Amino acid sequence: MIDAKNSSSTSAQERRMLDALRKGPVSTIRARRELDVLHPAGRVMSLRGRGHNIVTVNVMETTDCGKLHKVAKYVLMAGKGASN
């Protein structure tokens, strides 16, 4: 069995992203830094395709380099996957 926490497979990244979204909003920067999801938009698109209601909000966030960027923040809404 593949360890979703350490795997770089697409399905493992989707699992990490969904687990994090169940706990609260996840920005692009956080997904890359803390979840090791390098293409968050792609993972979110796949999750939406599986029926998860995820909305995108544009926010300003500071990178590790100290620069402010406009990034996506993903929010899992009530419905499929929100509490499972």
Side-chain angles (χ1 to χ4, degrees):
M1 181 172 178
I2 295 174
D3 178 7
K5 184 177 180 183
N6 297 313
S7 175
S8 63
S9 73
T10 299
S11 62
Q13 290 181 52
E14 287 173 2
R15 251 178 275 140
R16 289 194 300 270
M17 189 73 172
L18 185 56
D19 287 346
L21 285 166
R22 286 179 174 141
K23 295 173 185 166
V26 177
S27 72
T28 298
I29 293 171
R30 179 173 167 230
R32 290 179 179 152
R33 180 189 308 135
E34 297 176 17
L35 305 176
D36 198 31
V37 174
L38 298 185
H39 185 45
R43 303 300 72 85
V44 167
M45 186 169 61
S46 295
L47 291 169
R48 286 176 178 148
R50 293 193 345 230
H52 297 283
N53 184 11
I54 302 169
V55 297
T56 303
V57 179
N58 291 315
V59 298
M60 298 300 288
E61 198 168 297
T62 304
T63 64
D64 290 337
C65 298
K67 300 207 189 270
L68 196 60
H69 287 273
K70 183 177 176 183
V71 298
K73 184 173 273 193
Y74 302 103
V75 181
L76 180 63
M77 305 303 286
K80 180 180 177 179
S83 61
N84 300 12

